[in-house]
Amino acid sequence: RLLPLLLLLGPALGPALGQGLGQTRFICTSVPTDGDVCAASALGTGSAEELKGTVLQLRETVLQQKETIMNQKETIRELTAKLGRCESQSVLELPGEGKGRKGFSKNTMGDLSRPAAAETLSQLGQTLQSLKTRLENLEQFSRMNSSSQTNNLKDILQNKIDDLEKQVLSRVNSLEEGKLSPRNESEERGKIESTLTSLHQRISDLEKGQKDNRPPDRFQLTFPLRTNYMYAKVKKSLPEMYAFSICMWIKSSASPGMGTPFSYAVPGQANELVLIEWGNNPMEILINDKVAKLPFAINDGKWHHICVTWTTRDGVWEAYQDGTQTGNGENLAPYHPIKPQGVLVLGQEQDTLGGGFDATQAFVGELAHFNVWDRKLSPGEVYGLATCSSKALAGNVIAWAEANIDIYGGATKWTFEACRQLN
């Protein structure tokens, strides 16, 4: 590569030297990068042809560099466009700041109007696993109750799940190869969701056959997925209460946070009474949107019995885990009575009366023996509940019974085993 060397003769050498040389002038000389600059000064009288050749060479180099830059710009534009298309198809939105103090956006797994492909496929996989688990439970039940009808139904359902897995796998391959247009993708998703709905209904019908073999309170609710459509609704509302005790058995290993075991909303106040564990925060009890943090350590995949008591006088509260008081406090919504005529939901947090569910706040795990009293239980009464005492009381406001609970969206009822294990 050649570097132009500018030799300045005249004023730069001093007035005296300038007079000795006469009129000054500028000379452009081409010098190799490893050449001797001093020696090049003697070439000031180089031929015009050499100078012209140097100029042409420099011009060609500039043109080549310009062409290279244009090609690189075009490549960058293509890559940017491809990256934008990839991001629009596969990037999942992270929870952001949404409504209320809990700070989540409304990006939910259950909202399937415009889902990302990866998110939809992940949910289908989880749903299939849930159905398989339920079938395994039915298989155990059929071993204990030799019924050809039960076995035949189980085999039919298993075959349907196998076919559905093949459909999902085919859809994955089509998505990867870019074969599915938006319309075809929507049709495929509709077929798969229709099959899932049918399977849920068939399995639920099969599970209903077990109710005759257990007491009306010997059941648990299972919420296997973090969605905004699985929940249970208590048929009865709460009355106006100036004190309460709420107790339940709970089992979860969901992370981060097990979600919302229950929420009670009334007109004008969605957070009238809520138990929630979200993100990496401890479990909290909300009364009229006022908050107390509960010292529970129950997110270990084992059954635990928890109770929360509260009185409106000074807002005094107590928290019990496995029959032992683990915390207490006061000034939690003092002198605010729990309002009546609301909606009590298990497994979801309500943003509106009876709805507005957010999958990021959904409960994942198992729940049983949800009981509500309109008074503060004594430590002895709480201990009796946690140890499955035969003398344990049922809630005088809400008592745990299958007839009092409606389930939706694939949540399931199964025989409760925790007390049997303790006894």
Side-chain angles (χ1 to χ4, degrees), residues 108-127:
T108 64
M109 289 176 63
D111 293 333
L112 295 177
S113 57
R114 294 178 62 86
E119 184 179 12
T120 304
L121 293 173
S122 174
Q123 183 183 352
L124 287 171
Q126 289 179 316
T127 304

Side-chain angles (χ1 to χ4, degrees), residues 15 85 97 131 187 196 258 265 288-289 292 322 375 386 403 405 411:
R85 289 195 296 271
E97 293 187 6
L131 293 174
E187 291 177 356
L196 282 174
M258 67 176 63
N288 191 32
D289 223 6
D322 298 327
R375 64 180 179 86
I405 305 290

Side-chain angles (χ1 to χ4, degrees), residues 343-392:
V343 177
L344 182 56
V345 167
L346 306 179
Q348 294 285 352
E349 196 277 330
Q350 303 173 66
D351 282 340
T352 60
L353 186 65
F357 303 148
D358 185 335
T360 60
Q361 299 169 342
F363 173 70
V364 180
E366 295 164 294
L367 186 151
H369 282 264
F370 177 86
N371 286 275
V372 182
W373 295 260
D374 59 3
R375 64 180 179 86
K376 178 181 175 181
L377 294 183
S378 69
E381 288 173 323
V382 173
Y383 184 79
L385 291 166
T387 55
C388 302
S389 169
S390 59
K391 299 179 182 180

